């Protein structure tokens, strides 16, 4: 099918590339000419695993092109709207980009087509969009509006596209559902070759959920808000664990075994960030208010999340006593691993807070340094975790990159001024860290005291590190096979 995807951001570029990969002819549009030129030269505007290789592959195959919005909609059979809906001052979503796109479609589109709303929008936006598209209908053409909310996660967006749990479609006409089903046919039949895992054994078909547009729009906001609520809930449980001496990892494990609860999104830490959860929770509260429903539960989810930063900085303060003048290494800047996105990242708030208190911060992130530097130029950015830790009195982990689980602890031990790890994501193996001579502090779990490495068996530590690396590799292989 001839498809136009408008918006070359995280959702748009991933969607365009993956639709091309499953055989469609895709024109991906953006109003940022610089971004389009970079993409035409094969340069990605952000880091997302596997994206670059798939963009290059599909451009070379002639299935993917980058164009202006105006030209991309001409002759398109389906148009995906993937533009941003950033928060306004009052928390509501700014829909001006969506309205502009609808106007362009009305003016420029030349034949019958499906207009598919993928951006996260407040309920009833589809109805507004339909009114905007009237210009189009006035030309005597048929235009069906479909709501098709996106559930991709940054960092695993490509994988999520090829292996979705469900594809949600909100339509007004049966025929529109049938047409969009054709677009997704290779995913529904699992008749494509997964480009991410060549040995992918996954044969579970995604659920195909067809509903009305209002319900589809609500599914997206309600899902993100529910997940955010789960995170704030476990964060509160972790505070309680800290206060009474329980272990939040065990509590989460026991809770997650109940299939009604499930184990996902029960990792406590410094709170949720990124461009989706914070804005979507706010927008959902405003949507409910406007409809006369007081969603105070979600306001508390936000409040709990905001308090995570201060609670974590308090943990650092408690360990260091005085923060002023102390060298602190911060590992991680992105709002989560496998992305370079720092928008609404709690890690940046923590760095700012430590600097305000007079700490000397050295930061390291495998991907997000440049984006962090653009908004926080005064930090000392390092090329690797060891450089950041040189002379540090605390190493603070705020993004759970895999790399931090494979540190040469003995090398690190020699570099730091004081062997103290404060893990804001419960990402590291506490026993391994302590056995290597570090005092280990985490979230909702008792601190683990450093073992005396001078008296301990260094050879044993080395063997243990090597064994762990082998186990990790085997586990990764097993996870992929499953
Ligand atoms: C989220 C949703 O998971 C996607 O389904 C949705 O499509 C996307 O928003 C969107 O609306 O576009 P994303 O923001 O990429 O995806 O990242 P998540 O993996 O959901 O993480 C969000 C935040 O929650 C991160 O800051 C992460 O560190 C935090 N988190 C997540 C926790 O603190 N604990 C957890 O257990 C899980």
């Amino acid at each position: 099918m001839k498809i136009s995807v408008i918006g070359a951001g995280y959702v748009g570029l991933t969607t365009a590339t993956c639709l091309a990969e499953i055989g469609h002819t895709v024109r991906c549009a953006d109003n940022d000419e610089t971004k389009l030129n970079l993409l035409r030269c094969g340069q990605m505007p952000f880091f997302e695993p596997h994206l670059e290789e798939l963009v290059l592959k599909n451009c070379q195959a002639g299935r993917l092109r980058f164009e202006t919005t105006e030209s991309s909609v001409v002759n398109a059979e389906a148009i995906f709207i993937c533009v941003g809906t950033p928060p306004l001052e009052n928390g509501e979503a700014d829909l001006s980009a969506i309205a502009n796109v609808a106007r362009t479609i009305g003016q420029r589109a030349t034949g019958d087509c499906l207009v598919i709303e993928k951006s996260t929008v407040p309920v009833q936006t589809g109805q507004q969009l339909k009114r905007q598209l009237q210009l189009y209908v006035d030309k005597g053409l048929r235009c069906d509006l479909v709501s098709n909310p996106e559930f991709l996660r940054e960092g695993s967006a490509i994988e999520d596209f090829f292996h979705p749990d469900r594809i949600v479609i909100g339509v007004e006409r049966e025929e529109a559902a049938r047409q969009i089903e054709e677009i997704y046919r290779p995913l529904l039949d699992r008749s494509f070759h997964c480009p991410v895992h060549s040995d992918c054994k996954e044969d579970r078909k995604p659920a195909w959920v067809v509903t009305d547009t209002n319900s589809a729009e609500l599914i997206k906001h309600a899902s993100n808000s529910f997940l955010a609520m789960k995170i704030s809930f476990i964060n509160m449980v972790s505070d309680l664990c800290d206060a009474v001496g329980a272990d939040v990892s065990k509590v989460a494990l026991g809770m997650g075994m109940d299939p009604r609860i499930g184990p996902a999104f029960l990792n406590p830490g410094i709170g949720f960030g990124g461009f989706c959860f914070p804005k979507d929770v706010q927008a959902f509260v405003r949507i409910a208010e406007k409809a006369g429903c007081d969603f105070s539960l979600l306001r508390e989810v936000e409040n709990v999340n905001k308090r995570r930063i201060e609670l974590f900085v308090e943990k650092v303060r408690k360990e260091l006593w005085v923060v002023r003048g102390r060298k602190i290494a911060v590992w991680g800047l992105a709002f989560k691993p496998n992305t370079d996105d720092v928008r609404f990242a709690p890690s940046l708030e923590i760095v700012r807070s430590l600097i305000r208190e007079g700490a000397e911060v050295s930061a390291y992130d495998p991907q997000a340094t440049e984006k962090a530097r653009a908004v926080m130029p005064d930090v000392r950015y390092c090329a690797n975790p060891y450089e950041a830790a040189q002379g540090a009195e605390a190493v603070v982990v705020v993004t759970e990159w895999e790399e931090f689980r494979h540190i040469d602890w003995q090398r690190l031990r020699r570099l730091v001024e004081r062997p103290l790890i404060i893990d804001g994501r419960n990402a590291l193996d506490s026993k391994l860290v302590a056995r290597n001579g570090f005092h280990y502090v985490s979230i909702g779990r008792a601190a683990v005291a450093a073992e005396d490495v001078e008296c301990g068996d260094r050879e044993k530590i080395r063997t243990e590190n090597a064994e762990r690396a082998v186990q990790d590799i085997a586990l990764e292989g097993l996870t992929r096979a499953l």
Side-chain angles (χ1 to χ4, degrees):
M1 203 180 264
K2 282 186 266 176
I3 294 175
S4 157
V5 175
I6 303 177
Y10 287 92
V11 172
L13 186 54
T14 306
T15 303
T17 308
C18 294
L19 285 171
E21 178 68 23
I22 59 171
H24 298 291
T25 306
V26 183
R27 285 174 287 169
C28 183
D30 204 283
N31 56 8
D32 180 344
E33 195 58 45
T34 318
K35 193 193 265 186
L36 289 180
N37 284 332
L38 280 176
L39 283 163
R40 286 177 190 129
C41 300
Q43 287 181 41
M44 299 304 109
F46 53 84
F47 170 75
E48 179 65 39
H50 308 292
L51 183 65
E52 188 173 350
E53 68 201 59
L54 288 187
V55 168
L56 295 178
K57 176 181 165 194
N58 283 284
C59 283
Q60 271 161 17
R63 287 190 299 263
L64 180 63
R65 282 209 317 260
F66 297 99
E67 291 190 5
T68 62
T69 305
E70 286 74 11
S71 68
S72 79
V73 299
V74 175
N75 291 331
E77 294 166 279
I79 302 171
F80 282 81
I81 304 180
C82 301
V83 294
T85 52
L88 291 166
E89 284 275 294
N90 64 1
E92 282 179 32
D94 180 352
L95 300 177
S96 52
I98 296 220
N100 288 340
V101 169
R103 203 169 309 120
T104 308
I105 296 173
Q107 289 163 349
R108 301 290 177 118
T110 48
D112 293 352
C113 79
L114 283 181
V115 173
I116 303 146
E117 165 197 270
K118 226 180 207 320
S119 308
T120 301
V121 290
V123 61
Q124 296 179 332
T125 301
Q127 288 170 9
Q128 300 287 349
L129 262 178
K130 264 224 92 134
R131 272 193 278 276
Q132 293 270 336
L133 290 167
Q134 189 57 39
L135 242 172
Y136 188 85
V137 180
D138 289 348
K139 293 187 207 167
L141 302 170
R142 170 166 279 292
C143 166
D144 273 304
L145 183 82
V146 179
S147 166
N148 171 212
E150 187 48 72
F151 302 103
L152 304 178
R153 294 162 298 170
E154 286 181 31
S156 56
I158 303 281
E159 210 170 323
D160 290 344
F161 182 94
F162 291 115
H163 303 289
D165 307 310
R166 78 288 207 198
I167 298 176
V168 174
I169 300 297
V171 285
E172 292 172 331
R173 279 192 335 126
E174 220 15 60
E175 174 61 13
R178 204 196 50 72
Q179 284 175 315
I180 191 149
E181 199 171 347
E182 279 320 300
I183 296 179
Y184 284 116
R185 172 70 51 215
L187 297 186
L188 295 170
D189 293 349
R190 307 220 59 75
S191 60
F192 69 100
H193 176 73
C194 176
V196 182
H197 298 141
S198 51
D199 58 344
C200 190
K201 301 255 184 347
E202 170 126 39
D203 54 5
R204 184 174 44 85
K205 292 183 179 175
W208 179 248
V209 183
V210 181
T211 178
D212 57 284
T213 50
N214 283 347
S215 304
E217 289 165 342
L218 268 183
I219 287 172
K220 170 65 193 236
H221 259 137
S223 300
N224 273 8
S225 299
F226 188 86
L227 291 171
M229 181 180 74
K230 237 181 144 182
I231 298 169
S232 279
F233 186 89
I234 200 66
N235 279 331
M236 285 307 303
V237 173
S238 79
D239 288 349
L240 187 56
C241 287
D242 268 338
V244 301
D247 182 333
V248 71
S249 306
K250 305 264 165 58
V251 177
L253 187 73
M255 285 169 65
M257 282 171 178
D258 184 331
R260 292 169 303 174
I261 298 174
F265 279 71
L266 287 180
N267 301 323
I270 56 174
F272 57 80
F275 199 60
C276 301
F277 283 1
K279 87 169 163 63
D280 288 353
V281 170
Q282 259 188 28
F284 205 40
V285 170
R286 294 287 299 148
I287 292 164
E289 267 171 12
K290 280 174 111 176
C293 305
D294 182 5
F295 220 144
S296 56
L297 173 68
L298 283 184
R299 275 202 297 274
E300 201 43 39
V301 166
E302 269 188 289
N303 291 336
V304 169
N305 198 53
K306 280 182 193 146
R307 287 200 294 271
R308 299 314 294 166
I309 311 284
E310 178 48 28
L311 283 170
F312 185 70
V313 172
E314 180 55 34
K315 250 184 205 292
V316 177
R317 241 182 248 128
K318 201 171 146 204
E319 290 304 319
L320 292 179
W321 185 39
V322 174
V323 168
R324 178 165 300 279
R326 300 295 176 93
K327 280 191 178 168
I328 298 178
V330 172
W331 282 2
L333 293 162
F335 83 97
K336 63 184 262 189
N338 299 323
T339 178
D340 59 357
D341 195 350
V342 295
R343 292 175 298 173
F344 301 99
S347 43
L348 298 199
E349 288 308 310
I350 287 166
V351 170
R352 287 190 181 109
S353 179
L354 293 173
I355 289 175
R356 265 198 307 275
E357 291 201 27
E360 276 179 48
V361 173
S362 298
Y364 166 71
D365 188 285
Q367 291 291 341
T369 302
E370 288 321 310
K371 290 203 169 153
R373 200 196 302 275
V375 290
M376 232 173 30
D378 299 334
V379 175
R380 179 174 170 257
Y381 293 98
C382 301
N384 59 59
Y386 304 101
E387 186 190 330
Q390 179 85 49
E393 293 191 53
V395 173
V396 168
V397 181
V398 285
T399 313
E400 66 277 35
W401 285 93
E402 188 59 26
E403 176 179 341
F404 303 148
R405 298 192 177 103
H406 305 280
I407 286 293
D408 177 346
W409 292 104
Q410 284 307 296
R411 178 177 169 198
L412 190 77
R413 179 71 185 80
R414 289 190 294 275
L415 289 172
V416 295
E417 175 70 24
R418 179 179 161 192
L420 168 64
I421 305 279
I422 308 176
D423 184 352
R425 296 289 189 174
N426 290 1
L428 306 178
D429 178 338
S430 56
K431 286 196 185 125
L432 180 74
V433 174
R435 204 182 279 278
N436 280 282
F438 287 84
H439 185 69
Y440 178 77
V441 176
S442 59
I443 307 284
R445 305 184 300 187
V448 184
E451 287 184 19
D452 186 352
V453 184
E454 296 311 320
C455 309
D457 183 352
R458 283 176 189 277
E459 198 45 50
K460 193 172 157 207
I461 292 167
R462 262 196 292 274
T463 315
E464 210 171 79
N465 285 349
E467 277 173 5
R468 196 179 146 70
V470 171
Q471 273 171 14
D472 282 346
I473 292 165
L475 195 68
E476 202 182 309
L478 191 66
T479 314
R480 283 191 174 194
L482 287 171

